[in-house]
Amino acid sequence: MTLSCVVIGSGNIGTDLVHKLLRSPSLELRALVGIDPASEGLARARKLGVEATAEGIDWVEAHAGEIDLAFEATSARVHAANAPRLAAAGITAVDLTPARLGPPVVPGVNLDQHLDAPNLNLITCGGQATAPIVAAVVSASRVPYAEIVSTVASRSAGPGTRQNIDEFTRTTASSLEEVGGAAHGKAIIILNPADPPILMRNTVFCALPDGYDEAAVAAAIEDMVGRVARYVPGYRLKRPPVFEEGPFATPGGPAAARVVALLEVEGAGDFLPPYAGNLDIMTAAAVRVGEALAEARAPERRGQVTV
Amino acid sequence: MSGPAFRLTDSTLRDGSHALSHRYTTEQVASIVRGLDAAGVPVIEVSHGDGLGGSSFNYGFSGTDERDLVSAAVGAATRARIAVLLLPGIGVADDLRDMADRGVQVARIATHCTEADIAEQHIRLAKRLGMEAVGFLMMAHMAEPAQLLDQARLMESYGADCVYVVDSAGAMTTADARARVGTLAEGLGCQVGHHAHNNLSLAVANSLAALDVGADQLDGCCAGLGAGAGNCPTEVLVATCDKLGLATGVDPLEAMGVAEDLVRPLRPEMGVIDRAGLLLGYAGVYGSFLLHAQRAAARYGVDVGEILLELGRRRIVGGQEDMILDVALELARKATPASRPAGQELPA
């Protein structure tokens, strides 16, 4: 079935989402919702033929009967205020802020467990880019410790990320455990100001116990990269997974070896520039979540969704 | 009698940790702190080389939990204040809270020189915890003086008591250091510091130049123990200041004793400016990349100099140690005969 949706937040992320939603076969964009009548984002949406309102969450409540889904692209604080009102109106929230009110979801990893949740959280860009790889390794081996290094271009890191770098770091780390399935997770976040801006880079290290199956781990990683690339076309391995012998004294205990996956994320360039793969992976994941919800709610396909 | 011409922070037990691959023991920490404390060093920094939470695959796991090392340092100091380093994005607020509970009095919050605004949470938290907060602008050779001043003003606005010009790559000429420290000293209301590395053999000279243009705080490490070709050697800085008639509050002979008897034996070859160390300063590459680059070069059969030069070309910033592996693999791939099947070009 088709779900009617709104995007709340008329900034760069909201605008990029509008571009992606206009292409979606199963999501119908009802409106872009902002709070500033002078917002450039609202004006851009109108040019694209999308209804744009500056009346904020009040408008969403007034039109609740016409809306199934709200993509929240504001801030953690604003989403915390909006979430109960969306829930009361029976609107499912797909949260792109770090508010973490609902379960953390990554399409292709754990979304099928949360299709009935009233609020789904997309973690962080670093979590979207790396938790799937940890989950892939976990499918082929025990992972006592996983660590990621996520480097984004300075210009693509907005004030929300900068003022909340601590939450960003911790939320990303916890997703390696909650979504990825590692026993211990650690995240390192780096901003690189190089000009021209760098593409988003992610390095995933997973500790491996004795007796791990190298071919199985490598195949699981490559398969997962393909699954993520289906909704984030610019998501790729820079080179085949690298296996290095230890031993390593990790916080999850001694490990015989580690596998290292070096990843790059190039954005689709819908509205945001291609170097901002960190933002693209969030909007692309959001649309994929919305489409999966649409599939799940189609009566004839209930119970047979693959995400 | 006037007080010291500057405040010295000894970072043997933090920046020096890089040179030991983060393997300090609590006994070593306690004995070095006792020595520095007796010599009159006012501030002693203790942490993983990459700051709190630095123990990792990317930077190397600590041999002993840094929390135990810090507690050992606090226990051994009678006069000196214990400092820690934290890089937002690596360490987190809870690490800082734990350090305050352990008796740490100085929090140094470090960011790349153009990213000062990610230090806001942690500088403010340090002040709320009653700690002295020092802003640490790393790789400062990559920013022009005016831009560096804008970034330093941000840190001051969050409550920093001092902002450092940090020459993480040991890439600054004396004129570079003078221009940056001088600009901050004129433009800031808070104190200004300088942290030098010796890759171009200029660490002491640049520290003295920084003092000349208004620096209030300087850093050193005993025997220069530290990232790259080493830091500004504490005992050399103190001895030179003594000859110049600049009071440091530190006894030069005692500082020499700590360096010679307690620190030099940990890494006897420290302080040699070999080609790799010089290349860091020449190419402007983060000093702590050196040992990681040497290991990757050995593992993948490529030249360490080529790795460092490529990292410089890519304008890689501090913390991106993962890119050392990326570059080493790329160089190994290029060096591989085209006849090898794809996907098997990586030596184990």
Side-chain angles (χ1 to χ4, degrees):
Chain A
M1 71 182 279
T2 302
L3 296 184
S4 170
C5 56
V6 292
V7 172
I8 307 176
S10 60
N12 290 337
I13 302 271
T15 300
D16 196 71
L17 257 175
V18 164
H19 283 261
K20 286 181 165 66
L21 288 168
L22 288 174
R23 288 200 303 264
S24 171
S26 57
L27 299 173
E28 191 183 310
L29 180 57
R30 176 68 184 79
L32 173 66
V33 180
I35 51 166
D36 175 7
S39 149
E40 284 176 38
L42 295 180
R44 281 189 299 255
R46 285 190 194 103
K47 272 192 200 148
L48 293 168
V50 175
E51 179 164 358
T53 169
E55 293 168 38
I57 189 74
D58 294 341
W59 188 95
V60 179
E61 272 182 337
H63 295 78
E66 311 160 30
I67 302 166
D68 302 306
L69 207 58
F71 293 97
E72 182 87 51
T74 54
S75 69
R77 194 176 48 80
V78 172
H79 182 57
N82 287 348
R85 298 173 67 177
L86 293 171
I91 298 171
T92 301
V94 177
D95 175 20
L96 287 83
T97 81
R100 272 300 305 274
L101 302 179
V105 296
V106 174
V109 178
N110 69 339
L111 179 53
D112 52 349
Q113 296 156 35
H114 300 294
L115 290 169
D116 295 325
N119 189 313
L120 299 97
N121 178 264
L122 289 173
I123 320 170
T124 61
C125 57
Q128 286 297 329
T130 62
I133 302 301
V134 175
V137 179
V138 165
S139 74
S141 168
R142 199 167 58 79
V143 176
Y145 173 76
E147 174 184 315
I148 68 99
V149 184
S150 192
T151 305
V152 304
S154 294
R155 261 202 253 166
S156 71
T161 300
R162 291 168 176 275
Q163 288 159 15
N164 298 287
I165 184 92
D166 211 79
E167 291 79 356
F168 190 97
T169 310
R170 286 186 284 114
T171 301
T172 306
S174 68
S175 76
L176 307 179
E177 300 170 6
E178 289 178 65
V179 180
H184 293 265
K186 178 170 181 64
I188 294 170
I189 312 299
I190 312 271
L191 306 184
N192 181 311
D195 192 26
I198 58 158
L199 296 179
M200 183 198 201
R201 292 296 308 259
N202 297 281
T203 300
V204 181
F205 300 89
C206 288
L208 297 169
D210 245 339
Y212 66 92
D213 181 341
E214 182 171 322
V217 171
I221 292 173
E222 305 220 11
D223 176 62
M224 182 60 82
V225 170
R227 284 158 72 180
V228 176
R230 283 210 284 276
Y231 59 91
V232 190
Y235 184 85
R236 56 193 171 235
L237 270 175
K238 282 289 281 183
R239 48 196 100 251
V242 183
F243 293 82
E244 295 185 329
E245 295 301 317
F248 299 101
T250 81
R258 68 183 184 188
V259 59
V260 190
L262 294 152
L263 298 144
E264 184 173 81
V265 188
E266 180 174 2
D270 288 322
F271 171 69
L272 300 162
Y275 64 78
N278 48 315
L279 306 180
D280 190 66
I281 197 169
M282 291 296 281
T283 55
V287 172
R288 182 67 205 112
V289 167
E291 289 177 347
L293 293 174
E295 286 167 41
R297 291 179 194 184
E300 72 277 15
R301 296 214 36 207
R302 204 170 270 283
Q304 18 173 329
V305 180
T306 47
V307 289
Chain B
M1 198 183 123
S2 62
F6 62 94
R7 191 180 77 172
L8 176 66
T9 295
D10 183 278
S11 188
T12 307
L13 298 170
R14 197 281 299 170
D15 216 342
S17 184
H18 286 294
L20 304 178
S21 300
H22 319 290
R23 315 299 296 176
Y24 274 120
T25 64
T26 50
E27 294 74 22
Q28 288 166 341
V29 166
S31 83
I32 291 168
V33 167
R34 276 194 296 272
L36 292 171
D37 189 50
V41 173
V43 180
I44 301 169
E45 187 176 52
V46 185
S47 302
H48 184 283
D50 296 88
L52 300 176
S55 180
S56 58
F57 273 132
N58 204 34
Y59 308 124
F61 290 109
S62 299
T64 300
D65 191 316
E66 65 191 343
R67 290 171 293 192
D68 297 330
L69 300 182
V70 167
S71 288
V74 170
T78 61
R79 293 181 291 172
R81 294 148 69 83
I82 302 301
V84 292
L85 183 77
L86 183 145
L87 279 65
I90 299 177
V92 293
D94 281 344
D95 296 327
L96 209 50
R97 293 188 185 98
D98 177 63
M99 289 296 141
D101 289 344
R102 287 171 192 268
V104 168
Q105 294 175 280
V106 183
R108 307 214 295 178
I109 311 299
T111 72
H112 184 73
C113 58
T114 56
E115 313 299 318
D117 58 356
I118 65 168
E120 178 173 3
Q121 278 184 306
H122 303 89
I123 289 177
R124 291 193 191 282
L125 174 62
K127 296 308 295 178
R128 278 203 303 280
L129 292 168
M131 300 164 107
E132 181 183 330
V134 175
F136 219 58
L137 291 168
M138 301 187 294
M139 297 287 274
H141 74 281
M142 291 175 83
E144 291 305 314
Q147 186 187 14
L148 204 60
L149 176 60
D150 288 341
Q151 296 290 307
R153 281 185 170 137
L154 289 175
M155 286 181 158
E156 182 178 26
S157 75
Y158 309 144
D161 300 292
C162 177
V163 179
Y164 264 70
V165 174
V166 182
D167 187 11
S168 317
M172 286 190 201
T173 63
T174 301
D176 292 335
R178 185 178 281 273
R180 284 165 178 76
V181 174
T183 300
L184 264 59
E186 276 178 34
L188 294 181
C190 70
Q191 293 199 343
V192 175
H194 186 56
H195 174 102
H197 279 267
N198 209 33
N199 303 330
L200 297 177
S201 197
L202 291 172
V204 174
N206 288 359
S207 297
L208 294 173
L211 208 53
D212 190 44
V213 294
D216 306 286
Q217 302 193 21
L218 295 175
D219 283 7
C221 290
C222 293
L225 192 75
N231 286 58
C232 178
T234 296
E235 71 283 6
V236 181
L237 180 65
V238 167
T240 307
C241 286
D242 195 51
K243 292 196 68 160
L244 290 169
L246 296 167
T248 63
V250 182
D251 184 300
L253 293 175
E254 287 199 44
M256 285 181 226
V258 176
E260 189 69 15
D261 301 333
L262 301 179
V263 178
R264 171 74 53 197
L266 301 175
R267 192 144 183 247
E269 77 281 18
M270 192 69 230
V272 174
I273 304 176
D274 58 8
R275 186 183 62 145
L278 173 57
L279 273 175
L280 296 170
Y282 182 65
V285 175
Y286 199 60
S288 52
F289 285 6
L290 180 60
L291 293 182
H292 297 285
Q294 285 172 339
R295 271 183 228 117
R299 190 186 277 263
Y300 294 104
V302 296
D303 182 68
V304 67
E306 281 192 54
I307 295 178
L308 296 175
L309 287 170
E310 176 61 17
L311 291 168
R313 275 192 289 271
R314 291 195 192 182
R315 296 181 73 75
I316 296 297
V317 302
Q320 288 189 270
E321 269 78 343
D322 55 322
M323 288 300 107
I324 295 170
L325 175 62
D326 191 65
V327 168
L329 291 170
E330 180 68 24
L331 292 171
R333 191 182 62 79
K334 282 183 185 157
T336 303
S339 58
R340 282 236 198 131
Q344 297 185 12
E345 70 270 36
L346 308 172

